[in-house]
């Protein structure tokens, strides 16, 4: 590609990512998701086909995980404020109040009108666990439409290995060491036309009273998930699925999360626990190479 073509491709990707943010970010008062939230308990809001599809998929993952993944988690995310200057440990009463408004079953979808209705006042959507995956997926589809054959898309924890390397070999993607700064990896995955998405305790957190509070919230306790898992990496063909599944498997814990991943032949998982043990689904064993001797692959 000459520079003009490269610039055009990058601009096309940035434009598509911007569209996702404009429609789905709760940090934009004019987004479609913010409009849905503002009308909670009052009336449905008609959204674009794109936003409707992401919400529909997010709700389906609520069903699939028995509510461990719930896009109606908005009130709790806002209460904790993790990733913002307002991050703090909330009062227990405030947590309980938020939990009473989290229930994906009360997200009412109308496929004909493309409308979304939150059935109770106080409810709020937050697509932070799935929208970035869709942005990567949308970008990969754009590259495919443009006839691009080789690319790596890096959305920070969301990698899309598009096609192969120019020499025809698989892309090599590092799996982040959850105890070290970004760029330090424990092993390498070889991937072609796959999304590789990681959810980890290291991604966003704050310190209070000498304790670290990370951003993956448990909708049963209302506090950050504490189940011994340090990070989960999902490998599958669809980045939107990978994004939702990485969070879902993290919340399920090592044993249940691994069993869940094994039950779905279209996905593979790498789970790292807080004792530096690495758990692999059977299908990823040949594509993953452990490189850090401080970690150990285990089947326990």
């Amino acid at each position: 590609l000459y520079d003009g073509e490269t610039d055009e491709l990058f601009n096309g990707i940035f434009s598509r990512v911007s569209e996702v943010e404009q429609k789905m970010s709760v940090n934009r008062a004019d987004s479609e998701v913010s409009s849905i939230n503002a009308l909670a308990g009052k009336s449905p809001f008609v959204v674009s086909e794109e936003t409707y599809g992401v919400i529909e998929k997010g709700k389906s993952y609520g069903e699939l995980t028995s509510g461990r993944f719930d896009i109606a988690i908005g009130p709790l995310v806002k209460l904790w404020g993790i990733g913002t200057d307002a991050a703090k440990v909330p009062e227990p009463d405030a947590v309980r109040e938020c939990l009473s408004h989290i229930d994906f079953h009360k997200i009412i979808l109308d496929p004909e009108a493309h409308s979304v209705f939150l059935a109770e006042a106080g409810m709020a959507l937050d697509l932070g666990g799935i929208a970035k995956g869709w942005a990567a997926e949308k970008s990969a589809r754009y590259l495919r439409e443009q006839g691009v054959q080789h690319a790596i898309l890096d959305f920070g924890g969301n990698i899309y290995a598009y096609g192969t390397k120019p020499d025809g070999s698989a892309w090599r993607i590092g799996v982040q060491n959850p105890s070290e700064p970004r760029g330090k990896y424990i092993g390498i995955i070889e991937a072609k036309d796959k999304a590789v998405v990681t959810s980890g305790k290291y991604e966003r957190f704050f310190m209070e009273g000498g304790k670290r509070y990370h951003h993956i919230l448990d909708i049963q306790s209302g506090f950050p998930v504490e189940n011994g898992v340090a990070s989960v990496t999902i490998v599958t063909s669809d980045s939107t699925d990978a994004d939702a599944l990485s969070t879902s498997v993290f919340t399920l814990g090592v044993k249940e999360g691994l069993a869940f991943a094994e039950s779905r032949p279209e996905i593979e998982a790498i789970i790292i626990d807080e004792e530096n043990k690495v758990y692999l689904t059977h299908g990823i064993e040949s594509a993953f190479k452990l490189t850090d001797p401080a970690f150990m692959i285990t089947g326990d």
Side-chain angles (χ1 to χ4, degrees), residues 165-177:
K165 294 167 70 173
D167 64 6
S169 63
W171 295 102
R172 291 162 55 83
I173 300 167
V175 176
Q176 173 70 34
N177 183 329

Side-chain angles (χ1 to χ4, degrees), residues 109-129:
L109 303 179
D110 184 334
E112 292 188 5
H114 271 181
S115 68
V116 183
F117 177 50
L118 303 183
E120 290 184 2
M123 290 182 68
L125 299 181
D126 188 299
L127 302 183

Side-chain angles (χ1 to χ4, degrees), residues 236-258:
T236 190
S237 59
D238 187 289
S239 183
T240 317
D241 292 332
D243 200 8
L245 285 165
S246 64
T247 305
S248 300
V249 172
F250 191 106
T251 62
L252 289 169
V254 173
K255 186 176 180 179
E256 193 177 348
L258 199 63

Side-chain angles (χ1 to χ4, degrees), residues 39-42 103 105-108 116-123:
L39 293 172
K42 298 176 183 176
D103 186 352
H105 294 100
K106 295 177 182 177
I107 303 170
I108 311 302
V116 183
F117 177 50
L118 303 183
E120 290 184 2
M123 290 182 68

Side-chain angles (χ1 to χ4, degrees), residues 11-263:
N11 289 337
I13 291 171
F14 293 146
S15 173
R16 280 151 181 79
V17 173
S18 179
E19 287 172 0
V20 175
E21 181 183 13
Q22 289 170 10
K23 292 175 180 176
M24 303 182 202
S25 174
V26 294
N27 297 319
R28 294 181 60 107
D30 61 346
S31 75
E32 293 181 340
V33 170
S34 291
S35 296
I36 293 167
N37 293 344
L39 293 172
K42 298 176 183 176
S43 63
F45 183 77
V46 176
V47 298
S48 62
E49 182 178 354
E50 180 177 10
T51 300
Y52 186 91
V54 172
I55 292 172
E56 185 176 43
K57 176 162 279 194
K59 186 177 178 182
S60 75
Y61 274 107
E63 298 281 1
L64 191 65
T65 62
S66 300
R68 301 304 290 269
F69 181 86
D70 195 325
I71 58 171
I73 197 172
L76 194 63
V77 172
K78 185 176 181 180
L79 180 68
W80 279 86
I82 299 174
T84 74
D85 293 337
K88 66 182 186 307
V89 179
E91 294 296 326
D93 287 348
V95 171
R96 283 191 289 271
E97 171 65 17
C98 282
L99 293 180
S100 71
H101 296 300
I102 300 173
D103 186 352
F104 70 92
H105 294 100
K106 295 177 182 177
I107 303 170
I108 311 302
L109 303 179
D110 184 334
E112 292 188 5
H114 271 181
S115 68
V116 183
F117 177 50
L118 303 183
E120 290 184 2
M123 290 182 68
L125 299 181
D126 188 299
L127 302 183
I130 193 170
K132 189 194 292 187
W134 165 243
E137 184 66 28
K138 185 176 182 179
S139 299
R141 293 180 185 183
Y142 166 72
L143 292 180
R144 195 167 289 115
E145 292 167 0
Q146 301 304 307
V148 174
Q149 296 181 339
H150 320 283
I152 277 283
L153 297 169
D154 185 348
F155 283 69
N158 293 54
I159 307 293
Y160 197 101
Y162 178 88
T164 65
K165 294 167 70 173
D167 64 6
S169 63
W171 295 102
R172 291 162 55 83
I173 300 167
V175 176
Q176 173 70 34
N177 183 329
S179 303
E180 297 288 341
R182 279 202 180 275
K184 300 287 185 179
Y185 55 87
I186 68 141
I188 296 171
I189 297 171
E190 292 192 342
K192 303 176 183 178
D193 277 321
K194 295 289 185 182
V196 181
V197 177
T198 300
S199 288
K201 301 173 76 170
Y202 60 88
E203 292 179 290
R204 295 195 304 278
F205 62 88
F206 70 98
M207 302 293 295
E208 184 171 314
K211 183 175 180 179
R212 176 187 294 215
Y213 295 89
H214 64 84
H215 75 292
I216 304 174
L217 300 173
D218 185 341
I219 62 168
Q220 295 180 335
S221 70
F223 280 72
V225 175
E226 295 294 342
N227 58 9
V229 175
S231 75
V232 169
T233 298
I234 296 293
V235 182
T236 190
S237 59
D238 187 289
S239 183
T240 317
D241 292 332
D243 200 8
L245 285 165
S246 64
T247 305
S248 300
V249 172
F250 191 106
T251 62
L252 289 169
V254 173
K255 186 176 180 179
E256 193 177 348
L258 199 63
F260 175 83
E262 289 281 20
S263 74

Side-chain angles (χ1 to χ4, degrees), residues 256-278:
E256 193 177 348
L258 199 63
F260 175 83
E262 289 281 20
S263 74
R264 302 187 64 80
E266 74 277 16
I267 70 170
E268 303 297 339
I270 300 170
I271 302 176
I272 305 173
D273 73 11
E274 293 174 338
E275 297 178 349
N276 289 359
K277 292 180 181 178
V278 181

